[in-house]
Amino acid sequence: MRVLVAGAGVGGLTTAIALRAKGFDVEVLEAAPGPRTEGGGLGLAANATKVLAALGLDVVGSGVGRVCTSFRLRTQDGRLMRDLPIRAISAELGSPVVNVRRGDLLALLRDSLGDTPVRYGAAVADHRVDRSGVSVALADGGVRTADVLVGADGIRSAVRARLVGEHPVREHGYVCWIATTAFAHPRLPEGGAAHYWGRGQRFGLIDIGGGHAYWWGTKNVPLPQARRWTGGKLGVQAAFARWAAEVREVIAATPEADILAVPAQDRPFLATWGAGPVTLVGDAAHPMLTSLSQGAGSTVEDAHALAHHLAAGGDPAHALRRYEADRRDRTRGLVAASLRLSRVEQLANPLATRLRDLVIRHAPARVVRDQNAAPMRYDLPG
């Protein structure tokens, strides 16, 4: 069976790896002119590292990223609110949480593809289905044919638009700044991660190994500002001017060109992900906010499940519908939970934020552990 995968991000490359492991003939089509190297970092939760290990990818052994060994919630001025039991959760689930630079993870995935072709500058413009399978028209005039097409081309997926039409994204009224930079600080231990919560603002500071840190910041702003941030690095520094010293210092240490600003966006959950020999994975199917750190995790789960169902045999279209049914409830819950948590995190009302922080400090330990472990619980199919 020949499969075309649109998109060479985490979802597309992992899908290609999973399909190749099952013996499928795979080609990846990527709109960008070359491999992606920019972007910040991401957290691979225990479910993600579990699936990648099942695909033969030892993220820890490869030297990519850093195993997360401490996770603290702090106030904006750095006072500790809660030490989350990340070691105990990882031990219970049998897989580590690993924080990585996105570009390093993509390089590892590309290397793991072996001789699987990845075509850059190959933007999908349209696709058509007939009795022999699916044909994909590229923006440069080229055509590719296959038995199956998988859209792994992100929140503005061209494959999704062809399936269900063009629809605007859902916007949430805050901007996200993300970056990685060389950084060391006594408040950032090896394997450490810390989230700082303020009023309508948050900040994350995470060790990704090799003397580098991944950081992100958020701030409630009008939608036009979120869509197109024009404040530059000075605007980011102004937003966090009175925050903890390590927050101010990591922003100052980051070259302005390395700070990426993106709006907080997702989509209402899509009940139908495919038709005939076409389906979606990852952000193309179920984009979610970053609050649960499950964008990457849910995507690699999709990739593994898709390969599992296609390899089970039978008509490809029926296999794709089985895959979609298998993934629907899990991903719907993650999208909804990410939205709920984001609303709590971005609270700006002084009374509401005080109550939120009191709950963080005094919630029973078992409740905190269960809430943080729940999104990472995942059983491999088959």
Side-chain angles (χ1 to χ4, degrees):
M1 188 184 297
R2 178 167 168 73
V3 183
L4 290 172
V5 178
V10 172
L13 295 177
T14 308
T15 298
I17 291 167
L19 291 168
R20 277 297 299 268
K22 296 292 187 181
F24 295 108
D25 180 9
V26 186
E27 181 179 14
V28 181
L29 307 173
E30 169 57 46
R36 290 192 237 172
T37 57
E38 77 288 349
L42 55 84
L44 293 172
N47 53 309
T49 56
K50 178 179 182 178
V51 174
L52 291 173
L55 294 174
L57 286 156
D58 179 3
V59 178
V60 177
S62 71
V64 172
R66 177 86 79 179
V67 172
C68 185
T69 56
S70 69
F71 194 152
R72 297 182 173 99
L73 298 181
R74 297 184 180 275
T75 62
Q76 69 180 53
D77 59 4
R79 287 172 293 148
L80 181 65
M81 291 195 290
R82 193 87 194 207
D83 200 339
L84 301 180
I86 196 68
R87 288 177 185 265
I89 291 172
S90 296
E92 176 191 344
L93 299 179
S95 294
V97 175
V98 180
N99 296 311
V100 301
R101 189 198 309 265
R102 184 180 293 272
D104 293 344
L105 176 62
L106 291 174
L108 173 65
L109 295 174
R110 287 193 300 270
D111 290 346
S112 301
L113 273 175
D115 61 356
T116 300
V118 180
R119 310 295 183 194
Y120 293 99
V124 173
D126 196 5
H127 71 265
R128 297 186 181 279
V129 174
D130 57 30
R131 292 181 181 179
S132 62
V134 58
S135 62
V136 175
L138 303 179
D140 64 4
V143 176
R144 292 286 194 277
T145 60
D147 300 291
V148 168
L149 169 63
V150 180
D153 45 345
I155 189 171
R156 288 175 175 79
S157 165
V159 179
R160 175 189 174 118
R162 184 72 177 84
L163 284 168
V164 301
E166 294 275 5
H167 299 289
V169 296
R170 183 167 59 182
E171 301 179 279
H172 296 281
Y174 62 95
V175 64
C176 306
W177 300 290
I178 57 177
T180 60
T181 194
F183 185 71
H185 195 280
R187 295 284 290 272
L188 182 63
E190 288 189 4
H195 288 187
Y196 303 74
W197 288 20
R199 295 178 184 172
Q201 291 181 244
R202 291 176 293 132
F203 197 88
L205 181 57
I206 302 103
D207 174 41
I208 56 173
H212 285 74
Y214 161 48
W215 66 262
W216 53 262
T218 70
K219 181 176 175 61
N220 293 351
V221 296
L223 289 179
Q225 273 189 273
R227 292 176 194 140
R228 188 172 183 272
W229 173 252
T230 58
K233 177 177 173 176
L234 286 176
V236 182
Q237 290 178 295
F240 296 99
R242 298 185 178 181
W243 286 52
E246 61 270 26
V247 170
R248 291 181 278 114
E249 290 173 23
V250 75
I251 298 172
T254 307
E256 181 162 16
D258 293 345
I259 301 174
L260 180 65
V262 295
Q265 297 176 338
D266 66 356
R267 289 185 183 275
F269 192 77
L270 183 65
T272 302
W273 296 1
V278 183
T279 194
L280 306 171
V281 300
D283 284 350
H286 48 77
M288 64 187 71
L289 296 173
T290 59
S291 293
L292 280 186
S293 296
Q294 279 297 330
S298 61
T299 297
V300 299
E301 288 177 11
D302 286 352
H304 188 274
L306 173 62
H308 167 79
H309 286 286
L310 272 179
D315 179 71
H318 293 162
L320 296 183
R321 301 297 85 78
R322 292 195 302 269
Y323 149 72
E324 293 159 9
D326 179 21
R327 297 296 299 151
R328 193 167 290 116
D329 288 347
R330 163 81 169 156
T331 53
R332 181 189 284 113
L334 292 174
V335 171
S338 295
L339 176 57
R340 288 194 302 270
L341 182 54
S342 169
R343 288 170 174 164
V344 172
E345 291 170 332
Q346 293 297 133
L347 286 170
N349 178 276
L351 177 59
T353 54
R354 281 198 295 271
L355 290 172
R356 176 198 67 191
D357 295 353
L358 280 172
V359 170
I360 290 172
R361 287 186 172 99
H362 300 294
R366 186 66 196 180
V367 171
V368 171
R369 177 169 169 163
D370 288 347
Q371 286 181 339
N372 282 274
M376 295 189 258
R377 298 186 191 281
Y378 179 68
D379 294 325
L380 295 171

